[in-house]
Amino acid sequence: MAGETRKPVLVTRRLPEKVLTRIAAVCDLDLWQGPGAMPRGELLQRAAGKAGLVTLLTDRIDDELLEAAGPSLRIVANYAVGYDNIDVAACSARGVLVANTPDVLTESTADMAWALMLAASRRVCEGDRFIRSAEPWIWDPGMMLGWNVHHKVLGLVGFGRIAQAVAQRATGFGMRVIYASRSAAPPETQQRLGAERLGLEELLAEADCVSLHVPLTLETRHLIGAAELLRMKPTAVLVNTSRGPVVDEAALAAALRRRQIFAAGLDVYEREPAVPEELRELPNVVLAPHLGSASVETRLAMGMLAADNLLFALAGRRPPALVNREVWS
Ligand code: GLV
Ligand code: GLV
């Protein structure tokens, strides 16, 4: 692109260097250097006149922001697979493309769900805290007993790409896999993964590990609340690597405190980045700071895909991971 045709682009956080270099090679790059997320006022101001925005899940993209950006805006390329931070309908109404980063983070997020499942079931983090406390100890038959994961029942809520990657790993653990989702997966997929579809209530009652893999929508907000937790086995663990508000956090904390379920592994929180003290004080919950896709390889791949989405759109081509396909005509 010639100098005068370089399109103005805002990137709302420092991404891997290779990604920034790639964008800066063809665009006029405005980069928020932090610390932390762009304050709202700054975001509104610096979005003005941009042709593209590369956003994070910590940036709220709504009608006010689109209005501030103005008619030059062509694409919002989210550096995440989830896009609940974006009002997609508002973008579509203004003809603004929305893109995300699916596929490239599927396997890493599935790994993380497994890490939480194993850590919560076998009390890995509790053990780590104990060792660091330097209290004297000796191997004991009754010390810090958890529950087996292998040969148990894995219950997946949602059965998209990430859930299926979690299911695939379960075959190595000899688990029975059940799932609950709005629509049934193709018979070949169910057969390949040995997965059986059940209703949510049934799944909760049967699963030893319940792992959540739904996007955050009006329908999935507080999908797991007090009533759902009551259906779970007292020996079961709950894992959430999706979005915090899918779980009623106060109800979960109460269930964990009463030992109504055995443990939980959380990567996401209802009012992220806030994590309630009542959760932080419980021994039977493993808490991670939204690390699902946080591997060196995956964060680079996400950045490259976000850059592809951005640069394709600015060149008048269809972004590879377009969300609002109806805008493309
Ligand atoms: C992370 O949570 C993502 O949606 O990519
Ligand atoms: C435990 O360490 C065992 O050897 O059984």
Side-chain angles (χ1 to χ4, degrees), residues 219-238:
E219 291 76 41
T220 63
R221 185 172 293 271
H222 283 196
L223 183 66
I224 304 298
E228 289 70 31
L229 291 161
L230 259 177
R231 291 186 190 282
M232 289 175 65
K233 296 178 181 179
T235 51
V237 305
L238 176 71

Side-chain angles (χ1 to χ4, degrees), residues 198-213:
L198 296 181
L200 179 61
E201 294 191 357
E202 242 182 312
L203 176 142
L204 293 170
E206 287 195 29
D208 297 294
C209 300
V210 175
S211 191
L212 307 178
H213 301 284

Side-chain angles (χ1 to χ4, degrees), residues 57 79-82 101 105 241-243 290 293 302:
L57 51 88
Y79 180 77
V81 66
T101 61
L105 48 62
T241 53
S242 63
R243 284 293 182 267
H290 205 144
S293 63
M302 287 165 66

Side-chain angles (χ1 to χ4, degrees), residues 40-41 43-44 47 53 55-56 58-70 73 76 78 83-94 96 98:
R40 181 72 180 171
L43 178 61
L44 289 170
L53 305 177
T55 56
L56 271 57
T58 45
D59 303 312
R60 186 163 41 84
I61 307 303
D62 54 11
D63 208 57
E64 181 192 33
L65 186 281
L66 297 171
E67 183 64 33
L73 187 63
V76 178
N78 214 38
Y83 46 85
D84 49 281
N85 58 307
I86 300 174
D87 183 342
V88 177
C91 290
S92 297
R94 290 171 183 264
V96 173
V98 176

